[in-house]
């Protein structure tokens, strides 16, 4: 496994452990980190020493608190579409990996962090986890597949509420909604739970596991246009004054004043 700068990786007993390692910014996903994730997942399928993957965030506070808002605040319509399409590609790469991928959500999983978690095949959270899609606070929308995956995962009713209100939900509520497989008191126990799931899967026929992943993902067939509409809408958002105001307000640590233009 090639070494990456912002993601710690270690293979042990058939499991690839990935830690998004940017704790001072709550593991916010920079473009560089997305590229690193992509490099890693390009290798995962062909690496025979990997039978499963666990992704978590460094520290105790956050899994990933979103895409990097500093980078998001400087987008134009053209590169915003590319930004969304690249993120969608990386997360699709994770979702279509033939090795089972489990997110261990050790704190905030917001925006792109929630999108990353729901692109994984399963999720185990710690009790302090908080999940949400707060993009509308910034004058944008999710762009890494969140509008599509969340709706598939928990249904239109609650997905629409989460996407429109930007409310964060706690681990118990996420469990109730079907976003999580398990909730554990600590990160250590959440990792142990994910290892337990993977150790069961690792005793099964690897080809069958890959095919289960393909078949479960077939739920998205025909939904291709939904992902495209998301990337186009994301790009349209960044033409607005509200996008400038929303991202600026976050960086200036104040409430945004949206005008609808
Ligand atoms: N992008 C860039 N930087 C981020 C970030 C993001 N998505 N999320 C957090 N950070 C940075 C903060 O700017 C801060 O940096 P600083 O210490 O240099 O000022 C640092 O991480 C710690 O975050 P802070 O906001 O001080 O922690 P908090 O405990 O007060 O609040 C959150 C935690 C998660 C509620 C808050 O950080 C937040 O709302 N983050 C953005 C979530 C979001 O909108 N994500 C979607 C992006 S598309």
């Amino acid at each position: 496994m090639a070494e990456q700068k912002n993601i710690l990786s270690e293979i042990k007993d058939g499991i690839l452990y990935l830690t998004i390692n940017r704790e001072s910014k709550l593991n916010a996903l920079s473009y560089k980190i997305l590229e690193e994730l992509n490099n890693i997942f390009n290798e995962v399928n062909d690496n025979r020493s990997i039978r499963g993957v666990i992704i978590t965030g460094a520290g105790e506070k956050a899994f990933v608190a979103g895409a990097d808002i500093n980078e998001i605040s400087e987008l134009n319509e053209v590169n915003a579409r590319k930004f969304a399409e690249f993120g969608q590609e990386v997360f699709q790469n994770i979702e279509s990996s033939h090795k089972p991928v489990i997110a261990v959500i050790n704190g905030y999983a917001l925006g792109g962090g929630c999108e990353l978690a729901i692109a994984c095949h399963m999720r185990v959270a710690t009790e302090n986890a908080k999940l949400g899609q707060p993009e509308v606070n910034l004058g944008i929308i999710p762009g890494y597949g969140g509008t599509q995956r969340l709706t598939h995962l928990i249904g239109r009713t609650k997905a629409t509420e989460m996407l429109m209100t930007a409310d964060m939900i706690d681990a118990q509520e996420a469990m109730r909604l079907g976003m999580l497989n398990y909730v554990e008191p600590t990160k250590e126990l959440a990792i142990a739970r994910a290892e337990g799931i993977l150790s069961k899967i690792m005793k099964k026929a690897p080809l069958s596991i890959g095919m289960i992943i393909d078949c479960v993902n077939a739920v998205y067939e025909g939904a291709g246009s939904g992902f495209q509409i998301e990337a186009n809408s994301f790009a349209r958002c960044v033409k607005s004054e509200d996008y400038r105001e929303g991202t600026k307000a976050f960086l200036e640590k104040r409430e945004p004043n949206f005008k609808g233009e």
Side-chain angles (χ1 to χ4, degrees), residues 13 19 39 58 69 137:
D13 300 330
T19 305
N39 295 339
I69 297 173
N137 289 335

Side-chain angles (χ1 to χ4, degrees), residues 18 24 37 48 66-67 96 129 157 187 189 197-198 209-210 216 239:
L18 298 176
S24 66
L37 266 177
R48 296 179 73 93
S96 61
T157 309
K187 183 177 178 180
L189 289 171
I197 300 171
L198 289 178
I209 298 304
V216 171
K239 285 203 310 192

Side-chain angles (χ1 to χ4, degrees), residues 36-244:
E36 291 183 11
L37 266 177
N38 214 27
N39 295 339
I40 290 169
F41 276 89
N42 282 337
E43 245 188 276
V44 161
N45 267 350
D46 295 332
N47 189 327
R48 296 179 73 93
S49 59
I50 299 171
R51 300 283 311 278
V53 183
I54 292 177
I55 307 182
T56 192
E60 303 293 329
K61 193 168 165 185
F63 171 67
V64 166
D68 187 319
I69 297 173
N70 278 292
E71 291 180 3
I72 287 182
S73 68
E74 286 168 6
L75 293 173
N76 60 41
E77 194 183 0
V78 175
N79 60 24
R81 185 174 288 103
K82 287 201 183 123
F83 173 93
E85 286 172 348
F86 180 59
Q88 288 185 358
E89 182 189 321
V90 177
F91 287 6
Q92 205 193 354
N93 215 354
I94 295 174
E95 186 170 56
S96 61
S97 153
H98 273 190
K99 316 288 172 76
V101 184
I102 303 185
V104 167
I105 306 173
N106 56 311
Y108 291 112
L110 302 176
C114 189
E115 291 175 292
L116 171 61
I118 63 178
C120 295
H121 304 122
M122 284 170 269
R123 287 152 289 284
V124 180
T126 52
E127 269 167 6
N128 71 333
K130 294 254 188 300
L131 293 85
Q133 296 288 165
E135 286 85 351
V136 292
N137 289 335
L138 302 170
I140 51 172
I141 61 167
Y144 295 163
T147 61
Q148 304 304 295
R149 288 197 181 90
L150 191 65
T151 307
H152 269 95
L153 196 59
I154 64 172
R156 289 171 77 124
T157 309
K158 277 294 178 183
T160 307
E161 181 182 342
M162 280 181 73
L163 292 162
M164 286 187 179
T165 62
D167 280 350
M168 283 188 225
I169 58 172
D170 64 19
Q172 291 307 334
E173 175 69 353
M175 183 75 196
R176 211 180 55 76
L177 291 175
M179 289 179 83
L180 303 175
N181 296 78
Y182 296 94
V183 179
E184 298 291 346
T186 64
K187 183 177 178 180
E188 214 173 41
L189 289 171
I191 290 176
R193 172 68 80 172
E195 289 169 340
I197 300 171
L198 289 178
S199 77
K200 282 189 202 167
I201 298 173
M202 281 170 1
K203 295 194 185 87
K204 318 296 179 203
L207 281 178
S208 303
I209 298 304
M211 284 179 202
I212 295 281
I213 289 170
D214 288 346
C215 292
V216 171
N217 287 346
V219 73
Y220 294 116
E221 271 167 22
S225 65
F227 285 94
Q228 198 53 53
I229 290 169
E230 183 189 89
N232 290 343
S233 308
F234 182 87
R236 282 220 305 278
C237 287
V238 311
K239 285 203 310 192
S240 69
E241 276 306 311
D242 282 350
Y243 147 76
R244 257 172 281 285

